[in-house]
Amino acid sequence: VSTIYDVAREAGVGVGTVSRVLSGSPNVAPGTRLRVQAAVERLGFRPTPAARALRRKRTDIIEIVVPLVTRHFYVEALRGIETALANTNFTLVIRTIERESDRDRVFDRVGVRGAADGVLIVSLLPTPELTKRLQADQICAVLIDAEANGLSSVAVDHATAGRRAIQHLLDLGHRQIALIDSPEDLFSAASRAGRLDGFREALAAADIRPPAAYEQVAEFSPEGGAAALAALLEIEEQPTAIFVGSDAQALGVLEAARAHGREVPEDLSVVGYNDIEVARYAGLTTIHTPMREMGRRGAAMLLDLLAEGDATARRERIEPELVIRRTTGPAKQFAEALEA
Amino acid sequence: VSTIYDVAREAGVGVGTVSRVLSGSPNVAPGTRLRVQAAVERLGFRPTPAARALRRKRTDIIEIVVPLVTRHFYVEALRGIETALANTNFTLVIRTIERESDRDRVFDRVGVRGAADGVLIVSLLPTPELTKRLQADQICAVLIDAEANGLSSVAVDHATAGRRAIQHLLDLGHRQIALIDSPEDLFSAASRAGRLDGFREALAAADIRPPAAYEQVAEFSPEGGAAALAALLEIEEQPTAIFVGSDAQALGVLEAARAHGREVPEDLSVVGYNDIEVARYAGLTTIHTPMREMGRRGAAMLLDLLAEGDATARRERIEPELVIRRTTGPAKQFAEALEA
DNA sequence: TTGTAGGCGTTATCAG
DNA sequence: CTGATAACGCCTACAA
C-alpha cells in the first residue's frame, strides 16, 4: 500500500525525515514532525516489518515452542508469557509440538537468526543440535519448566517438590510409600529425576527403605497410572500411600483404586503432580507447579537477556507448593495409634 | 549466519542458482542442485524470512487474535487452528486481548499489509475501522465464533442452539422457563441475539409467553449468574428451568440455587452454554459450541481464501449440540402427571 | 535540521 | 541451464 516515499512526498520532506519521525528521533523540527505525522495519518501508513527487520537486523519477534498436546496445563505458561510481553512491542510467534514426530521439524525452524530475536521453550528439552545452533547463532533462549546445560531456564525444583510430597505422607503416618512416574521423554523435561531424588532422600531421612518394586514407571496417562497401581497391589506389602509424578496418572490411580475396592484416602493416599485444572475438581492432593508464574518469569528473563545482550546462561528455580485436598489422609495404623 | 552469497561462493555458482535450488525450481541441473544442497548443508544456511518476505510480498504469516482472558475455552480454537496449519508452512503469530482496553491497541496492529498474509479473529467483533482496513488492504480475514458484515466467518448457529436448549426443557415438561444471558460486549460476539431469538421462538411455538422478567441480563461471571437467579426467585411465578447464555454464569446459578435451598435438577433445571471444560465435572447440561472444530474450519477457510485470492466473504454455520448431563430433569408437575 | 544514497538478503527478470 | 542485476521498503551514515 504505501511506503515512506509516499509519506515523504505527501509531507513534502525526504524519506530520512519520515524515518526519523517514525522512530521518534529527537532531531526533527517540531513543525516538520507534525506535518509528517499528519501525512502518516492521512495515508494510514504502517512501516513494513519485513523491511524494517531486514535493515535493523532485529525482528522484534519472540518465538515460543510449546507442547500443546491437548493439555490445558501448558497454556498457563502461555498466559504468563503473554503477560510479560504485553507492554513490549514484541510479536509472539507460537510453534507447537503435538506429537513426538513434530519435534525435529519444529526445532529445525526455531530460533533461526533473522527469524526471531529470542526463543522461549516450554516443558520441552531441546535437542543437542538445537542447543548448539542457538549458542552458535547467539540466539537468546530461555527454557521454561525444563533445564539443560548451557541454556537459561526457569524451572521448578523437583527434588524439593518430591521431598515435600513425601514429607506430607510421612507426617500422616505413612511408611509404605510408593512412587509412580513416567519415563523421561520429550514431554517430561527431566522432572522425573528430581522427583525420584526427592522421593528417595525423604524416605532415607526417615530411615525407610522401600522395596524396589515401589518405584513404578508407567505411561503418562490415566491408564498408565491405573496399570501401575495394579502392579503395586500385587506386591506382598502393599503401599498405603502413593506419590504420582503427574496428575494425569494420579487420576487414573484414583479411578483404579476405586475399581479395586480401595477407598481414597481411607485405604490409600495419593499425591499428584502439576495441579492441572481437573485436579481441583477431583479433590486431588498435588504439587502445584506454577506454570503461569514460570512463563512470566521466563519471558521476563528473556527480555533481560535481549536488553543486555548477555549470553551467559541464567538459571532460576521456583519453589513448588503442596496443595492438600481430599486424596490424602492419615495412615490406618497411625490413626488407630492416635485413638489409643 | 550466512547469506545466499556465501552459499553461492561455497558451491561455485551464482546466487540466482542458489535461490532456484532453494525454491525447488525445476530449472537446475541435477549435479548443480546437489552441489548447492551440499553447500547449504555445510554452512547451515537458512534463508532470512524478512528478506524473503520483503521481496516476495508475502510473509507466510497468519495472525490470530484471541481473547485469552483466562478462559480455557478459547484455547480450543487455537488447537483447531494449529491442526489446520500444521502441514502448511505458515507461521502463526498470536495476539491476545486480555482486557477491553487492549482492544484498540491490538486491533491497530493486526492485519497490517506486509506483516501478515491473513488474519483469524476468534470470538471477537472487529471494530468498523479494522473491518474497513482489512477490506481496503485486501487482507484475507476469517472470523471464528463471530459474525460481521462483509467478513468471512465460521460460527455457531446460536438461534438453533437456543431452540434446542429450550426444546429439551419443554420435553422435560417445563413451562416456566427463564433466560439468563450477558449483555452484548466485546467478548460475546453477537451470540446473545441468536440465543434470545431461539429462546423466544421455541417458547412461542409451544404457545408459552414468558413474563418479561424471565429474560435476565447479567454480568458474564458466576456472580452474575447468581445475582440473576436471585432476581428470578423474587418473581411470583418462579421458573422451574433456566437457560443460561454461558457456562460461567450457569455455574454461578448452580451454586446460588443450592444456597437458596433449591435442588438441581429436582427443583430447578439448568442448561448452560459453551461446554467449557469444567462443565463436565459440574455435570452441567449445556450447549456444546465446538471451538476446536470452528478453529479448524476457520483456518481451512482462510487457507482457501489465501490460495484462491478470493475476496468475497464466505459464511459457514456450525450446528451446536446439546450435551445432556445432570442439571436438567423432568418438571415436578410433569413427573407427577406421569406417575398418575 | 534535513536530504541523499547505500545496503540489509532475497527473488525474479533478462541476457547469455 | 546459469549468472548478473535490479528491485522490495526501510534505516542510517554522511553531507549539506
mmCIF file of all heavy atoms in Angstrom, chain B residues 14 17 20 28-29 32 54-55 57, chain D residues 1-9:
data_model
loop_
_atom_site.group_PDB
_atom_site.id
_atom_site.type_symbol
_atom_site.label_atom_id
_atom_site.label_comp_id
_atom_site.label_asym_id
_atom_site.label_seq_id
_atom_site.Cartn_x
_atom_site.Cartn_y
_atom_site.Cartn_z
ATOM 1 N N GLY B 14 26.192 -19.016 -9.047
ATOM 2 C CA GLY B 14 25.670 -17.677 -8.803
ATOM 3 C C GLY B 14 24.517 -17.716 -7.817
ATOM 4 O O GLY B 14 23.939 -18.773 -7.561
ATOM 5 N N THR B 17 21.146 -19.206 -8.935
ATOM 6 C CA THR B 17 21.032 -20.657 -8.905
ATOM 7 C C THR B 17 20.704 -21.160 -7.506
ATOM 8 O O THR B 17 19.858 -22.020 -7.322
ATOM 9 C CB THR B 17 22.354 -21.283 -9.386
ATOM 10 O OG1 THR B 17 22.625 -20.775 -10.690
ATOM 11 C CG2 THR B 17 22.244 -22.782 -9.444
ATOM 12 N N ARG B 20 17.172 -20.608 -6.853
ATOM 13 C CA ARG B 20 16.337 -21.574 -7.573
ATOM 14 C C ARG B 20 16.317 -22.922 -6.874
ATOM 15 O O ARG B 20 15.264 -23.553 -6.730
ATOM 16 C CB ARG B 20 16.841 -21.728 -9.005
ATOM 17 C CG ARG B 20 16.199 -20.730 -9.953
ATOM 18 C CD ARG B 20 16.812 -20.796 -11.332
ATOM 19 N NE ARG B 20 18.194 -20.336 -11.304
ATOM 20 C CZ ARG B 20 18.649 -19.305 -12.023
ATOM 21 N NH1 ARG B 20 17.851 -18.661 -12.840
ATOM 22 N NH2 ARG B 20 19.897 -18.927 -11.930
ATOM 23 N N VAL B 28 17.164 -26.500 -12.849
ATOM 24 C CA VAL B 28 18.519 -26.584 -12.314
ATOM 25 C C VAL B 28 19.074 -27.954 -12.695
ATOM 26 O O VAL B 28 18.383 -28.967 -12.564
ATOM 27 C CB VAL B 28 18.522 -26.452 -10.775
ATOM 28 C CG1 VAL B 28 19.940 -26.467 -10.259
ATOM 29 C CG2 VAL B 28 17.791 -25.203 -10.336
ATOM 30 N N ALA B 29 20.284 -27.970 -13.146
ATOM 31 C CA ALA B 29 20.903 -29.252 -13.487
ATOM 32 C C ALA B 29 21.081 -30.071 -12.223
ATOM 33 O O ALA B 29 21.476 -29.534 -11.188
ATOM 34 C CB ALA B 29 22.252 -29.009 -14.158
ATOM 35 N N THR B 32 24.305 -29.622 -10.319
ATOM 36 C CA THR B 32 24.378 -28.311 -9.670
ATOM 37 C C THR B 32 23.550 -28.313 -8.391
ATOM 38 O O THR B 32 24.001 -27.863 -7.341
ATOM 39 C CB THR B 32 23.807 -27.236 -10.611
ATOM 40 O OG1 THR B 32 24.340 -27.444 -11.915
ATOM 41 C CG2 THR B 32 24.159 -25.862 -10.117
ATOM 42 N N LEU B 54 10.133 -9.466 2.157
ATOM 43 C CA LEU B 54 10.230 -8.158 1.507
ATOM 44 C C LEU B 54 10.150 -8.304 -0.010
ATOM 45 O O LEU B 54 9.430 -7.594 -0.691
ATOM 46 C CB LEU B 54 11.562 -7.514 1.895
ATOM 47 C CG LEU B 54 11.818 -6.121 1.337
ATOM 48 C CD1 LEU B 54 10.698 -5.187 1.763
ATOM 49 C CD2 LEU B 54 13.158 -5.614 1.838
ATOM 50 N N ARG B 55 10.889 -9.256 -0.498
ATOM 51 C CA ARG B 55 10.965 -9.433 -1.941
ATOM 52 C C ARG B 55 9.687 -10.076 -2.512
ATOM 53 O O ARG B 55 9.172 -9.649 -3.523
ATOM 54 C CB ARG B 55 12.186 -10.309 -2.231
ATOM 55 C CG ARG B 55 12.426 -10.636 -3.667
ATOM 56 C CD ARG B 55 12.649 -9.374 -4.459
ATOM 57 N NE ARG B 55 11.819 -9.386 -5.636
ATOM 58 C CZ ARG B 55 12.239 -9.097 -6.857
ATOM 59 N NH1 ARG B 55 13.481 -8.714 -7.044
ATOM 60 N NH2 ARG B 55 11.424 -9.165 -7.860
ATOM 61 N N LYS B 57 6.745 -10.166 -1.221
ATOM 62 C CA LYS B 57 5.493 -9.533 -0.804
ATOM 63 C C LYS B 57 4.520 -10.581 -0.274
ATOM 64 O O LYS B 57 3.338 -10.606 -0.636
ATOM 65 C CB LYS B 57 4.839 -8.777 -1.972
ATOM 66 C CG LYS B 57 5.648 -7.591 -2.448
ATOM 67 C CD LYS B 57 5.053 -7.006 -3.690
ATOM 68 C CE LYS B 57 5.777 -5.734 -4.046
ATOM 69 N NZ LYS B 57 5.883 -4.819 -2.889
ATOM 70 P P DC D 1 17.295 -28.107 -17.539
ATOM 71 O OP1 DC D 1 17.494 -28.943 -16.371
ATOM 72 O OP2 DC D 1 16.090 -27.272 -17.578
ATOM 73 O "O5'" DC D 1 18.524 -27.106 -17.625
ATOM 74 C "C5'" DC D 1 19.763 -27.573 -17.129
ATOM 75 C "C4'" DC D 1 20.722 -26.417 -17.125
ATOM 76 O "O4'" DC D 1 20.296 -25.403 -18.049
ATOM 77 C "C3'" DC D 1 20.838 -25.710 -15.755
ATOM 78 O "O3'" DC D 1 22.222 -25.752 -15.398
ATOM 79 C "C2'" DC D 1 20.370 -24.278 -16.010
ATOM 80 C "C1'" DC D 1 20.606 -24.126 -17.511
ATOM 81 N N1 DC D 1 19.696 -23.131 -18.165
ATOM 82 C C2 DC D 1 20.229 -21.950 -18.673
ATOM 83 O O2 DC D 1 21.456 -21.748 -18.566
ATOM 84 N N3 DC D 1 19.411 -21.041 -19.268
ATOM 85 C C4 DC D 1 18.106 -21.297 -19.375
ATOM 86 N N4 DC D 1 17.330 -20.382 -19.966
ATOM 87 C C5 DC D 1 17.535 -22.504 -18.882
ATOM 88 C C6 DC D 1 18.353 -23.386 -18.286
ATOM 89 P P DT D 2 22.716 -25.421 -13.998
ATOM 90 O OP1 DT D 2 23.960 -26.173 -13.724
ATOM 91 O OP2 DT D 2 21.579 -25.529 -13.107
ATOM 92 O "O5'" DT D 2 23.109 -23.910 -14.185
ATOM 93 C "C5'" DT D 2 24.221 -23.576 -15.022
ATOM 94 C "C4'" DT D 2 24.332 -22.084 -15.144
ATOM 95 O "O4'" DT D 2 23.172 -21.563 -15.821
ATOM 96 C "C3'" DT D 2 24.406 -21.333 -13.818
ATOM 97 O "O3'" DT D 2 25.735 -20.847 -13.698
ATOM 98 C "C2'" DT D 2 23.387 -20.212 -13.938
ATOM 99 C "C1'" DT D 2 23.039 -20.220 -15.423
ATOM 100 N N1 DT D 2 21.664 -19.809 -15.773
ATOM 101 C C2 DT D 2 21.483 -18.631 -16.454
ATOM 102 O O2 DT D 2 22.394 -17.892 -16.778
ATOM 103 N N3 DT D 2 20.178 -18.339 -16.758
ATOM 104 C C4 DT D 2 19.055 -19.098 -16.441
ATOM 105 O O4 DT D 2 17.936 -18.723 -16.775
ATOM 106 C C5 DT D 2 19.317 -20.309 -15.720
ATOM 107 C C7 DT D 2 18.189 -21.212 -15.324
ATOM 108 C C6 DT D 2 20.599 -20.621 -15.410
ATOM 109 P P DG D 3 26.172 -20.255 -12.272
ATOM 110 O OP1 DG D 3 27.542 -20.740 -11.998
ATOM 111 O OP2 DG D 3 25.100 -20.440 -11.279
ATOM 112 O "O5'" DG D 3 26.261 -18.714 -12.664
ATOM 113 C "C5'" DG D 3 26.955 -18.368 -13.851
ATOM 114 C "C4'" DG D 3 26.828 -16.877 -14.092
ATOM 115 O "O4'" DG D 3 25.505 -16.575 -14.594
ATOM 116 C "C3'" DG D 3 27.023 -16.016 -12.845
ATOM 117 O "O3'" DG D 3 27.845 -14.911 -13.219
ATOM 118 C "C2'" DG D 3 25.608 -15.580 -12.475
ATOM 119 C "C1'" DG D 3 24.882 -15.574 -13.818
ATOM 120 N N9 DG D 3 23.476 -15.940 -13.756
ATOM 121 C C8 DG D 3 22.940 -17.011 -13.072
ATOM 122 N N7 DG D 3 21.644 -17.131 -13.227
ATOM 123 C C5 DG D 3 21.307 -16.071 -14.056
ATOM 124 C C6 DG D 3 20.035 -15.697 -14.557
ATOM 125 O O6 DG D 3 18.950 -16.237 -14.381
ATOM 126 N N1 DG D 3 20.121 -14.555 -15.364
ATOM 127 C C2 DG D 3 21.285 -13.884 -15.631
ATOM 128 N N2 DG D 3 21.174 -12.825 -16.412
ATOM 129 N N3 DG D 3 22.496 -14.234 -15.165
ATOM 130 C C4 DG D 3 22.417 -15.333 -14.387
ATOM 131 P P DA D 4 28.435 -13.966 -12.183
ATOM 132 O OP1 DA D 4 29.891 -14.159 -12.129
ATOM 133 O OP2 DA D 4 27.658 -14.053 -10.931
ATOM 134 O "O5'" DA D 4 28.161 -12.583 -12.879
ATOM 135 C "C5'" DA D 4 27.217 -11.762 -12.295
ATOM 136 C "C4'" DA D 4 26.687 -10.810 -13.345
ATOM 137 O "O4'" DA D 4 25.428 -11.335 -13.843
ATOM 138 C "C3'" DA D 4 26.378 -9.482 -12.701
ATOM 139 O "O3'" DA D 4 26.487 -8.446 -13.648
ATOM 140 C "C2'" DA D 4 24.958 -9.688 -12.212
ATOM 141 C "C1'" DA D 4 24.353 -10.639 -13.241
ATOM 142 N N9 DA D 4 23.463 -11.647 -12.665
ATOM 143 C C8 DA D 4 23.815 -12.703 -11.851
ATOM 144 N N7 DA D 4 22.802 -13.451 -11.498
ATOM 145 C C5 DA D 4 21.720 -12.857 -12.124
ATOM 146 C C6 DA D 4 20.353 -13.176 -12.151
ATOM 147 N N6 DA D 4 19.835 -14.233 -11.513
ATOM 148 N N1 DA D 4 19.527 -12.365 -12.856
ATOM 149 C C2 DA D 4 20.054 -11.319 -13.499
ATOM 150 N N3 DA D 4 21.328 -10.923 -13.564
ATOM 151 C C4 DA D 4 22.110 -11.744 -12.843
ATOM 152 P P DT D 5 26.483 -7.002 -13.127
ATOM 153 O OP1 DT D 5 26.901 -6.130 -14.250
ATOM 154 O OP2 DT D 5 27.223 -7.003 -11.865
ATOM 155 O "O5'" DT D 5 24.937 -6.746 -12.831
ATOM 156 C "C5'" DT D 5 24.004 -6.861 -13.910
ATOM 157 C "C4'" DT D 5 22.647 -6.377 -13.433
ATOM 158 O "O4'" DT D 5 21.877 -7.484 -12.896
ATOM 159 C "C3'" DT D 5 22.700 -5.341 -12.319
ATOM 160 O "O3'" DT D 5 21.613 -4.459 -12.508
ATOM 161 C "C2'" DT D 5 22.495 -6.183 -11.069
ATOM 162 C "C1'" DT D 5 21.457 -7.157 -11.585
ATOM 163 N N1 DT D 5 21.303 -8.435 -10.835
ATOM 164 C C2 DT D 5 20.082 -9.049 -10.871
ATOM 165 O O2 DT D 5 19.143 -8.602 -11.486
ATOM 166 N N3 DT D 5 20.007 -10.219 -10.160
ATOM 167 C C4 DT D 5 21.022 -10.825 -9.433
ATOM 168 O O4 DT D 5 20.829 -11.867 -8.851
ATOM 169 C C5 DT D 5 22.279 -10.111 -9.434
ATOM 170 C C7 DT D 5 23.438 -10.670 -8.677
ATOM 171 C C6 DT D 5 22.361 -8.961 -10.117
ATOM 172 P P DA D 6 21.689 -3.045 -11.936
ATOM 173 O OP1 DA D 6 22.391 -2.202 -12.932
ATOM 174 O OP2 DA D 6 22.188 -3.127 -10.553
ATOM 175 O "O5'" DA D 6 20.155 -2.629 -11.902
ATOM 176 C "C5'" DA D 6 19.293 -3.089 -12.935
ATOM 177 C "C4'" DA D 6 17.942 -3.474 -12.351
ATOM 178 O "O4'" DA D 6 18.056 -4.721 -11.611
ATOM 179 C "C3'" DA D 6 17.379 -2.462 -11.353
ATOM 180 O "O3'" DA D 6 15.975 -2.409 -11.546
ATOM 181 C "C2'" DA D 6 17.727 -3.057 -9.998
ATOM 182 C "C1'" DA D 6 17.565 -4.540 -10.292
ATOM 183 N N9 DA D 6 18.324 -5.438 -9.418
ATOM 184 C C8 DA D 6 19.619 -5.298 -8.999
ATOM 185 N N7 DA D 6 20.031 -6.286 -8.235
ATOM 186 C C5 DA D 6 18.931 -7.127 -8.161
ATOM 187 C C6 DA D 6 18.718 -8.349 -7.504
ATOM 188 N N6 DA D 6 19.647 -8.964 -6.779
ATOM 189 N N1 DA D 6 17.500 -8.917 -7.626
ATOM 190 C C2 DA D 6 16.571 -8.297 -8.357
ATOM 191 N N3 DA D 6 16.658 -7.150 -9.023
ATOM 192 C C4 DA D 6 17.870 -6.615 -8.887
ATOM 193 P P DA D 7 15.143 -1.239 -10.993
ATOM 194 O OP1 DA D 7 13.694 -1.537 -11.155
ATOM 195 O OP2 DA D 7 15.712 -0.021 -11.563
ATOM 196 O "O5'" DA D 7 15.543 -1.258 -9.459
ATOM 197 C "C5'" DA D 7 14.574 -0.956 -8.461
ATOM 198 C "C4'" DA D 7 13.596 -2.101 -8.315
ATOM 199 O "O4'" DA D 7 14.341 -3.355 -8.296
ATOM 200 C "C3'" DA D 7 12.833 -2.004 -7.007
ATOM 201 O "O3'" DA D 7 11.473 -2.290 -7.217
ATOM 202 C "C2'" DA D 7 13.491 -3.026 -6.098
ATOM 203 C "C1'" DA D 7 14.137 -4.021 -7.056
ATOM 204 N N9 DA D 7 15.446 -4.444 -6.531
ATOM 205 C C8 DA D 7 16.628 -3.757 -6.600
ATOM 206 N N7 DA D 7 17.644 -4.392 -6.032
ATOM 207 C C5 DA D 7 17.077 -5.579 -5.568
ATOM 208 C C6 DA D 7 17.615 -6.677 -4.879
ATOM 209 N N6 DA D 7 18.897 -6.773 -4.518
ATOM 210 N N1 DA D 7 16.775 -7.679 -4.571
ATOM 211 C C2 DA D 7 15.487 -7.582 -4.924
ATOM 212 N N3 DA D 7 14.866 -6.605 -5.578
ATOM 213 C C4 DA D 7 15.732 -5.620 -5.871
ATOM 214 P P DC D 8 10.390 -1.539 -6.392
ATOM 215 O OP1 DC D 8 9.143 -1.522 -7.192
ATOM 216 O OP2 DC D 8 11.019 -0.291 -5.949
ATOM 217 O "O5'" DC D 8 10.178 -2.421 -5.078
ATOM 218 C "C5'" DC D 8 9.610 -3.716 -5.115
ATOM 219 C "C4'" DC D 8 9.773 -4.343 -3.755
ATOM 220 O "O4'" DC D 8 11.075 -4.945 -3.663
ATOM 221 C "C3'" DC D 8 9.708 -3.322 -2.614
ATOM 222 O "O3'" DC D 8 8.406 -3.351 -2.067
ATOM 223 C "C2'" DC D 8 10.754 -3.810 -1.614
ATOM 224 C "C1'" DC D 8 11.499 -4.939 -2.323
ATOM 225 N N1 DC D 8 12.991 -4.794 -2.342
ATOM 226 C C2 DC D 8 13.808 -5.871 -1.996
ATOM 227 O O2 DC D 8 13.271 -6.942 -1.668
ATOM 228 N N3 DC D 8 15.151 -5.721 -2.021
ATOM 229 C C4 DC D 8 15.678 -4.543 -2.384
ATOM 230 N N4 DC D 8 17.004 -4.450 -2.397
ATOM 231 C C5 DC D 8 14.867 -3.442 -2.759
ATOM 232 C C6 DC D 8 13.542 -3.602 -2.724
ATOM 233 P P DG D 9 7.653 -1.952 -1.833
ATOM 234 O OP1 DG D 9 6.231 -2.250 -1.684
ATOM 235 O OP2 DG D 9 8.116 -0.978 -2.833
ATOM 236 O "O5'" DG D 9 8.224 -1.506 -0.423
ATOM 237 C "C5'" DG D 9 7.952 -2.314 0.720
ATOM 238 C "C4'" DG D 9 8.773 -1.812 1.880
ATOM 239 O "O4'" DG D 9 10.164 -2.025 1.591
ATOM 240 C "C3'" DG D 9 8.627 -0.325 2.168
ATOM 241 O "O3'" DG D 9 8.357 -0.197 3.550
ATOM 242 C "C2'" DG D 9 9.946 0.286 1.756
ATOM 243 C "C1'" DG D 9 10.898 -0.877 1.966
ATOM 244 N N9 DG D 9 12.088 -0.884 1.137
ATOM 245 C C8 DG D 9 12.209 -0.447 -0.160
ATOM 246 N N7 DG D 9 13.416 -0.598 -0.654
ATOM 247 C C5 DG D 9 14.138 -1.181 0.385
ATOM 248 C C6 DG D 9 15.497 -1.572 0.441
ATOM 249 O O6 DG D 9 16.355 -1.499 -0.439
ATOM 250 N N1 DG D 9 15.821 -2.115 1.679
ATOM 251 C C2 DG D 9 14.943 -2.254 2.722
ATOM 252 N N2 DG D 9 15.426 -2.802 3.844
ATOM 253 N N3 DG D 9 13.668 -1.884 2.686
ATOM 254 C C4 DG D 9 13.337 -1.364 1.488
#
